[in-house]
Amino acid sequence: MLNIILIGAPGSGKGTAAGLFKVEWGMVHLSTGDLLRSEIKKGSELGRFAASFLESGRLLPDEVMMQIMAERIRQPDARQCGVLYDGFPRTLAQAEAFDRMLAEHRQRVDGALMLDVAEEVILSRLTARRVCQGCGAVYNAIDRRPRQEGVCDQCGGAVVQRPDDTQETVRRRIATYEHDTLPVIEHYGRQGVLLKVNPGRELSTVVPAIRAWAQGLLDRRE
Ligand code: AP5
Ligand code: MG
């Protein structure tokens, strides 16, 4: 069982990559952004608390995130399969607390995959992105549209634009990433578990390198 972290700026393709590899590797995809958006949709207490953070592109407090994750990784699916963490940990404090949390379960972060994409690419991608409100599948309005306009190919849910995908909020999210999340990349670099790839225009160009890396992680684990 592997714990793999996906790190990258907003719009770098974390959700897209997780959608591909979770099937291939038989892993659970755990996106903290999707988890929070589903709480907002339900109107739960956590959702009401989280809404203003997501709308403005600011991070939730570390203690709140750690509490959510402590509960989430106790669920049976996370204990049986490997987990692809998408959007977590996002600050150095979260990364250090997560290391301690996994150690209590006799686990660790086996690999951290960083999708390194230029800022101008991110801005154009995010304004074109569309997501399914039902299953979270990712589309874009340019070259990855659902077969039927506004309807998810996978679950039939509504395909919409995310409210935090406006120019102003995207810029705020990028600044937050550079300030809070770059130290997380250095943290995993020091642990020797980091792979950096640049997916450019197509994720498929880096898929062989990611597959070889993941196989190496599995071999090391066995
Ligand atoms: P979150 O939902 O994690 O947002 P994010 O990190 O900003 O990342 P995105 O989901 O926007 O982008 P992505 O990398 O998944 O890209 P995607 O695959 O969709 O977090 C939202 C908010 O939740 C945060 O702002 C914060 O408030 C809160 N939060 C979450 N986690 C937290 C934490 N740990 N602590 C505190 N707060 C937290 O791709 C984007 C587009 O590009 C798509 O249209 C896709 O089709 C296209 N695309 C992808 N790859 C390629 C490619 N290779 N070539 C061409 N197009 C591509
Ligand atoms: Mg995402």
Side-chain angles (χ1 to χ4, degrees), residues 37-92:
R37 280 183 287 278
S38 111
E39 293 297 323
I40 293 173
K41 205 169 142 196
K42 278 193 263 176
S44 67
E45 196 183 327
L46 170 60
R48 290 196 298 278
F49 175 77
S52 65
F53 289 93
L54 271 82
E55 249 161 57
S56 60
R58 284 174 304 133
L59 297 180
L60 271 81
D62 290 333
E63 315 77 67
V64 177
M65 260 350 273
M66 292 316 299
Q67 227 175 318
I68 296 171
M69 294 310 283
E71 210 158 294
R72 183 61 187 86
I73 67 168
R74 276 199 291 268
Q75 304 299 314
D77 60 346
R79 297 176 68 100
Q80 280 153 17
C81 314
V83 184
L84 270 176
Y85 293 91
D86 160 1
F88 174 86
R90 235 170 160 107
T91 65
L92 190 55

Side-chain angles (χ1 to χ4, degrees), residues 132-196:
C132 172
Q133 277 186 316
C135 68
V138 185
Y139 300 91
N140 69 63
I142 302 158
D143 56 6
R144 205 171 301 158
R145 310 169 86 106
R147 282 191 292 273
Q148 189 185 337
E149 194 60 41
V151 181
C152 179
D153 295 343
Q154 290 171 33
C155 76
V159 173
V160 299
Q161 183 164 36
R162 252 170 62 173
D164 59 347
D165 278 348
T166 58
Q167 286 252 352
E168 194 196 333
T169 313
V170 169
R171 284 190 199 283
R172 175 75 167 273
R173 286 159 58 203
I174 293 172
T176 304
Y177 169 77
E178 285 172 352
H179 183 265
D180 292 311
T181 310
L182 290 183
V184 175
I185 297 166
E186 287 161 20
H187 175 78
Y188 291 116
R190 283 193 295 272
Q191 291 189 5
V193 296
L194 181 71
L195 176 73
K196 258 191 204 186

Side-chain angles (χ1 to χ4, degrees), residues 11 13-16 29 31 33-34 37 86 129 138 162:
K14 302 181 294 292
T16 305
H29 171 204
S31 154
D34 288 352
R37 280 183 287 278
D86 160 1
R129 173 170 62 183
V138 185
R162 252 170 62 173

Side-chain angles (χ1 to χ4, degrees), residues 17-31:
L20 173 72
F21 291 117
K22 74 172 173 190
V23 179
E24 195 170 315
W25 300 339
M27 292 173 89
V28 173
H29 171 204
L30 212 167
S31 154

